Amino acid sequence: MTSQPAADAGVFPVPRACPFGLPPEYERLLSAGRAVRARMAGGNSAWLVARHEDARKVLSDPRMSVDRRREGFPRFAPVTEEERQASFRGFRPPMNWMDPPEHTAARRSVRAEFSPARTEALRPRVQEIVDRRLELMAAAPRPVDLVRELAVPVPSLVICELLGVPYSAHGHFEERTGRMFSHATPAAERTRAAHEIRSLLAELVADKERDPPDDLLGRLIVRGRREGAADREAVVSMAFVLLVAGHSTTADMIALGALTLLEHPDQLASMLADPARTPLAVDELLRYLTVVNASTTRTALADVEVGGVTVRAGEGVVVLGPAANRDPEVFERPDEFDVGRGGGRHLAFGAGRHRCLGHRLARMELQVVFDALFRRLPGLRLAVPFGALSFKEKANIYGVRELPVTW
């Protein structure tokens, strides 16, 4: 093992010019077969891990921390030390920034809310939401922007339903979430957006405390009182991470998933010919697109050997999920989209103790959307050529700005 890389990977993150392929830099890292040092756009440096085996090891290793307050945590955008400290001030770390034992307790408090039974109980309501959005789409003048009319409102409605957030407030949350994740937004503005979201949630939680309803936040309030550990800020912090994570990534997956299926008509036909293939198609879309990247970022708490190098304590690591999910050692024909591939070995939801808590809910939403979309609108097609579409680059989410469709 060596503590030094064989080559420098340049400045990270790098843009994805096309959602269907890896950046050339990712492909080179996969071919290199080892971790490589990169300069982060935020000013520090980190190790980049591309191979599936190494990625899973990093994500599952208890010596790897998700606490973004640590000095070595990889910084994805330029930020001064004053701005970095301000981003944490008066800000209870959300669950996805926590290490054990805080993370263990926080995750346990909501684990039952995302159980298989609870998720399936939500399916009829998700179906109603999707059917209503498709009714509105079908009645609207064409072409219709699938992002605005379906991809964004469906996960927003679902997460608002789950948390008990009035849907009338969804626009405020979506606008601020967009600012918070935008790579082009100055650090101070991203921090302001995060604090505004938390202020709105604090008001909502305070209102629910007067008479806790039977929704996720209400149940958290009641459970805290019953256990003698009532903590409004803990409930607000949980609401924050679930709201932000619950709609942005799913919205991008709906838009990019629909685009992928439209651009692969043979695979779409295969999915529609056998309803049992929809869950397989969703998992293949998750692997093929891998829209989340920054949430797989870590800081080593001790020296760890991974990817042919020794990552020293205090050094940052970025797991390149899109590359790991195209590793030819794990996936045959990795650059091909194949709805019959089967298997769930992809790392789209991460791995280990920080694996996405809402993975069942996300899968279920995507299954309902794609089943209903292409059966309700069988002649669906792009209204503009693929090359004319405008894509966006965020700190950790890659999506499409608009998706004009017709039928």
Side-chain angles (χ1 to χ4, degrees):
M1 293 286 173
T2 175
S3 62
Q4 296 299 319
D8 189 278
V11 178
F12 187 86
V14 295
R16 294 174 69 177
C18 173
F20 303 147
L22 296 178
E25 293 87 348
Y26 284 30
E27 294 179 346
R28 286 197 291 270
L29 287 167
L30 262 179
S31 298
R34 60 184 296 142
V36 175
R37 178 84 79 178
R39 297 187 301 278
M40 300 299 296
N44 60 1
S45 63
W47 295 95
L48 304 183
V49 173
R51 293 177 63 245
H52 189 278
E53 179 183 354
D54 298 331
R56 183 172 288 279
K57 177 178 180 179
V58 169
L59 297 176
S60 303
D61 196 315
R63 296 170 295 178
M64 292 288 181
S65 170
V66 300
D67 190 344
R68 303 186 185 200
R69 295 167 297 181
R70 295 186 182 278
E71 183 64 29
F73 197 87
R75 302 178 193 173
F76 280 69
V79 59
T80 65
E81 182 59 25
E82 181 179 352
E83 289 171 331
R84 192 174 82 89
Q85 293 299 327
S87 68
F88 302 125
R89 199 171 297 129
F91 189 91
R92 176 79 66 89
M95 181 173 61
N96 58 329
W97 293 19
M98 293 179 179
D99 294 326
E102 292 80 12
H103 172 264
T104 308
R107 190 175 179 101
R108 185 185 302 119
S109 72
V110 290
R111 186 169 52 201
E113 301 289 343
F114 297 93
S115 68
R118 182 85 70 175
T119 299
E120 280 306 304
L122 275 173
R123 188 182 289 268
R125 179 57 183 142
V126 173
Q127 188 71 61
E128 289 177 5
I129 289 170
V130 172
D131 289 344
R132 178 56 181 157
R133 295 309 309 180
L134 291 176
E135 287 175 8
L136 295 173
M137 278 183 62
R142 285 171 265 180
V144 174
D145 180 8
L146 188 140
V147 173
R148 185 179 66 245
E149 301 300 331
L150 185 71
V152 169
V154 165
S156 292
L157 281 163
V158 171
I159 198 65
C160 286
E161 179 98 5
L162 183 70
L163 297 178
V165 175
Y167 185 65
S168 58
H170 84 282
H172 300 290
F173 289 116
E174 287 171 8
E175 187 273 332
R176 288 164 175 80
T177 299
R179 281 193 281 131
M180 190 174 71
F181 280 120
S182 174
H183 196 55
T185 303
E189 183 62 23
R190 291 199 302 274
T191 297
R192 187 178 303 113
H195 282 280
E196 288 172 359
I197 291 173
R198 291 177 70 92
S199 293
L200 290 168
L201 289 171
E203 294 175 9
L204 177 69
V205 171
D207 184 63
K208 288 179 181 290
E209 286 175 336
R210 300 186 186 97
D211 184 17
D214 187 22
D215 56 36
L216 189 151
L217 296 183
R219 289 189 289 271
L220 279 178
I221 292 167
V222 170
R223 188 179 301 122
R225 290 174 178 174
R226 185 174 62 244
E227 297 174 356
D231 185 343
R232 177 185 297 174
E233 184 58 24
V235 177
V236 172
S237 179
M238 183 63 69
F240 177 84
V241 70
L242 295 178
L243 180 75
V244 171
H247 82 262
S248 296
T249 51
T250 307
D252 281 342
M253 273 302 304
I254 291 173
L256 287 173
L259 173 62
T260 303
L261 289 165
L262 289 172
E263 287 294 289
H264 296 81
D266 58 330
Q267 298 298 312
L268 174 58
S270 177
M271 183 189 81
L272 294 175
D274 181 3
R277 282 204 166 192
T278 302
L280 296 178
V282 165
D283 261 309
E284 175 66 349
L285 286 167
L286 289 163
R287 180 200 73 84
Y288 187 69
L289 296 169
T290 315
V291 299
V292 177
N293 202 15
S295 63
T296 54
T297 305
R298 303 286 189 268
T299 306
L301 300 177
D303 291 359
V304 180
E305 294 182 353
V306 61
V309 303
T310 300
V311 178
R312 300 298 184 189
E315 293 182 337
V317 182
V318 179
V319 170
L320 304 181
N325 284 339
R326 300 285 183 101
D327 189 337
E329 294 296 318
V330 178
F331 303 100
E332 187 178 354
R333 300 171 287 105
D335 295 325
E336 292 184 22
F337 175 62
D338 179 4
V339 300
R341 185 183 298 275
R345 293 176 295 172
H346 65 75
L347 301 175
F349 293 114
R353 66 191 178 207
H354 289 285
R355 187 183 187 216
C356 176
L357 186 64
H359 69 93
R360 294 187 188 91
L361 178 61
R363 281 185 166 102
M364 184 265 284
E365 284 185 63
L366 294 171
Q367 291 168 17
V368 171
V369 167
F370 295 134
D371 252 348
L373 173 63
F374 292 104
R375 297 182 195 282
R376 177 68 175 78
L377 303 173
L380 191 74
R381 65 184 188 278
L382 293 179
V384 299
F386 169 69
L389 295 174
S390 176
F391 295 97
K392 63 185 177 184
E393 178 68 24
K394 297 182 183 179
N396 74 326
I397 300 171
Y398 181 81
V400 59
R401 293 180 187 275
E402 58 182 359
L403 191 62
V405 294
T406 190
W407 51 91

